[in-house]
Amino acid sequence: MAETIIKIDLNKSAYENDKVHNRWHPDIPLVATVKPGDDFIVECYDWTGGQIKNNDSADDVRDVDLSQVHFLSGPIGVEGAEPGDLLEVDILDIGTFEESQWGFNGFFSKQNGGGFLTEHFPEAQKSIWDFNGMFTKSRHIPNVEFAGLIHPGLIGCLPSKELLDTWNKREAGLVATDPDRVPELATLPNGETAHMGQMRGDAAKAAGAEAARTVPPREHGGNCDIKDLSRGSKVYFPVYVDGAGLSVGDLHFSQGDGEITFCGAIEMAGWIHLRVNLIKDGVRKYGIKNPVFKPSPIKPRYDDYVIFEGISVDEEGGQHYLDVHVAYRQACLNAIEYMTKFGYSKAQAYAILGCAPVEGHISGVVDIPNACATLWLPTGIFDFDINPSADGPQKKVSGGMDVPLSKDKE
């Protein structure tokens, strides 16, 4: 039986747990040490540290303090790990807490985080998803049920001081190009809400003031939101500090490719069972700059999709050059419009794309001026036929509760 080396209490604030942190900094103390070949279990808060509740109001999503996120369990030291090594991490298992069989999906207000389609969904909305073993469904989105592919949205190793300085310099430079943009271009250090694990006093304050926020993916891994990092996956992380300093959190019950609603997966608290090994000097040997991984051999299997194309032409008809971001946004918007023909609200359709195991593909980046991106919507998640037919779309979704919305405060 694997040892649980980091435990959490869902009834207490994440700030009270000194084996949890919400920033990246090389001086955050290791909270446990394991040996190569060891396996162990780590418990994790949801990414907000419990700010979102199981109810039918989106006020908590509207009012969430995003300067607190993400709460990560760790960092965990690995004996013998040195800068330049590769840390090999096997995800052996991952699951929910018996007392917390639910998760949430949210659209964040444009004034507080926004999202991939924030211009179309500018205000806070939330859907709650109940778990039944490996399956999930939502009281806010009828006629849909699917199997979850549970995975950590965020996992990575501590940066070196040099890498931290690189992050802060380049992200501050980006923000300086449009400092008043809403939402902001990047999330810069914020010491006021930093939780630096077992650091205390002036040292914690000084480190928190320069520590990197956990919001984006970076060279060390971080918030990559790759839905295929599930049971059976193997990930290779570059090591930047002695001991590696592995941390993990932001567990998802399910997610569509792109996590397009920002809080775009079904977010949950839970546990993860890991095993670690080392490849000495692996960064040089394999020319690694960013982590590489082997996908899970276990995933929901669907053999029928409706596939939506998008090209590099925006909603106003503006032409872009091989812009995959614009193309994928158009594919998502096309899928949302399609689902409304069967009775879903646009918010319900948007939530489905964020939560269900949809696939996103870069289908073409060579045919100037338009890139082509595709979104693959599995038909098997619906309890009715959503395929096109000569009879036209039949409205199948009616009644019930829509995705709760909370207006921005004046």
Side-chain angles (χ1 to χ4, degrees):
M1 192 71 171
E3 178 186 0
T4 300
I5 63 172
I6 297 178
K7 296 182 179 181
I8 67 167
D9 185 343
L10 295 178
N11 296 312
K12 294 183 178 179
S13 168
Y15 284 103
E16 298 179 44
N17 192 324
D18 68 0
K19 292 188 176 182
V20 170
H21 62 101
N22 67 355
R23 299 291 192 269
W24 293 114
H25 193 283
D27 295 338
I28 297 175
L30 304 176
V31 301
T33 301
V34 297
K35 298 178 181 179
D38 284 353
D39 68 290
F40 50 88
I41 294 172
V42 174
E43 295 181 350
C44 302
Y45 291 93
D46 82 78
W47 73 298
T48 72
Q51 295 185 63
I52 310 301
K53 306 303 180 184
N54 185 353
N55 57 35
D56 298 323
S57 168
D59 288 358
D60 48 10
V61 170
R62 179 194 63 198
D63 301 334
V64 67
D65 184 355
L66 291 180
S67 73
Q68 296 183 18
V69 301
H70 302 71
F71 287 98
L72 307 178
S73 296
I76 300 161
V78 180
E79 287 188 12
E82 300 173 300
D85 294 343
L86 281 181
L87 180 65
E88 178 184 297
V89 179
D90 289 289
I91 300 176
L92 301 179
D93 203 359
I94 186 169
T96 62
F97 291 128
E98 185 176 350
E99 69 274 22
S100 184
Q101 293 293 308
W102 65 280
F104 62 91
N105 171 262
F107 315 162
F108 279 45
S109 167
K110 184 178 179 180
Q111 304 301 318
N112 188 26
F116 188 58
L117 300 181
T118 193
E119 302 302 330
H120 299 268
F121 299 89
E123 295 183 297
Q125 296 189 254
K126 179 180 76 177
S127 58
I128 298 296
W129 296 78
D130 295 308
F131 307 150
N132 182 16
M134 65 185 294
F135 293 94
T136 187
K137 58 184 177 180
S138 172
R139 61 183 178 266
H140 300 128
I141 304 170
N143 302 91
V144 170
E145 185 176 25
F146 49 84
L149 184 62
I150 308 179
H151 60 278
L154 202 162
I155 183 170
C157 296
L158 291 179
S160 65
K161 182 61 165 63
E162 293 75 16
L163 185 57
L164 174 65
D165 291 344
T166 295
W167 294 348
N168 285 338
K169 180 179 179 180
R170 74 189 184 199
E171 290 171 23
L174 176 63
V175 170
T177 65
D178 190 359
D180 299 321
R181 184 181 186 271
V182 178
E184 60 204 339
L185 284 170
T187 52
L188 301 181
N190 178 343
E192 292 184 7
T193 54
H195 179 35
M196 304 300 288
Q198 296 180 350
M199 294 186 81
R200 296 289 183 269
D202 291 342
K205 290 181 180 179
E210 65 176 4
R213 299 285 300 281
T214 60
V215 174
R218 299 185 179 95
E219 289 88 342
H220 69 146
N223 194 25
C224 293
D225 295 312
I226 301 170
K227 75 177 192 302
D228 298 293
L229 294 184
S230 189
R231 298 176 180 93
S233 291
K234 185 188 295 284
V235 194
Y236 302 88
F237 293 102
V239 173
Y240 299 97
V241 301
D242 287 340
L246 177 69
S247 296
V248 61
D250 186 26
L251 303 187
H252 299 164
F253 188 86
S254 179
Q255 179 202 297
D257 279 339
E259 200 189 14
I260 63 172
T261 61
F262 184 80
C263 177
I266 301 176
E267 309 284 350
M268 56 171 262
W271 54 268
I272 185 167
H273 185 184
L274 302 173
R275 181 175 60 216
V276 295
N277 276 292
L278 288 174
I279 299 177
K280 300 301 292 182
D281 195 27
V283 169
R284 181 192 63 80
K285 288 177 179 176
Y286 289 100
I288 297 296
K289 180 179 179 181
N290 298 83
V292 297
F293 76 97
K294 300 285 290 182
S296 171
I298 302 171
K299 63 184 300 183
R301 299 291 180 185
Y302 296 99
D303 55 13
D304 186 64
Y305 296 84
V306 180
I307 301 173
F308 300 89
E309 293 187 18
I311 59 173
S312 306
V313 177
D314 63 31
E315 294 91 310
E316 287 72 43
Q319 179 72 62
H320 299 256
Y321 180 77
L322 296 181
D323 192 321
V324 175
H325 180 277
V326 171
Y328 194 54
R329 190 170 73 232
Q330 298 313 305
C332 293
L333 289 170
N334 291 341
I336 289 169
E337 182 66 22
Y338 182 92
M339 282 188 278
T340 65
K341 305 306 181 183
F342 296 87
Y344 286 114
S345 71
K346 289 189 175 183
Q348 289 173 325
Y350 188 26
I352 290 170
L353 298 187
C355 296
V358 304
E359 295 185 11
H361 295 261
I362 299 174
S363 299
V365 288
V366 297
D367 300 314
I368 60 173
N370 286 330
C372 177
T374 52
L375 183 138
W376 298 42
L377 178 65
T379 61
I381 69 174
F382 301 95
D383 67 6
F384 60 91
D385 186 2
I386 201 167
N387 286 295
S389 72
D391 295 331
Q394 304 297 309
K395 187 175 180 181
K396 298 292 185 179
V397 181
S398 62
M401 188 183 305
D402 199 353
V403 178
L405 180 148
S406 290
K407 294 286 187 181
D408 290 336
K409 294 179 177 178
E410 295 296 333

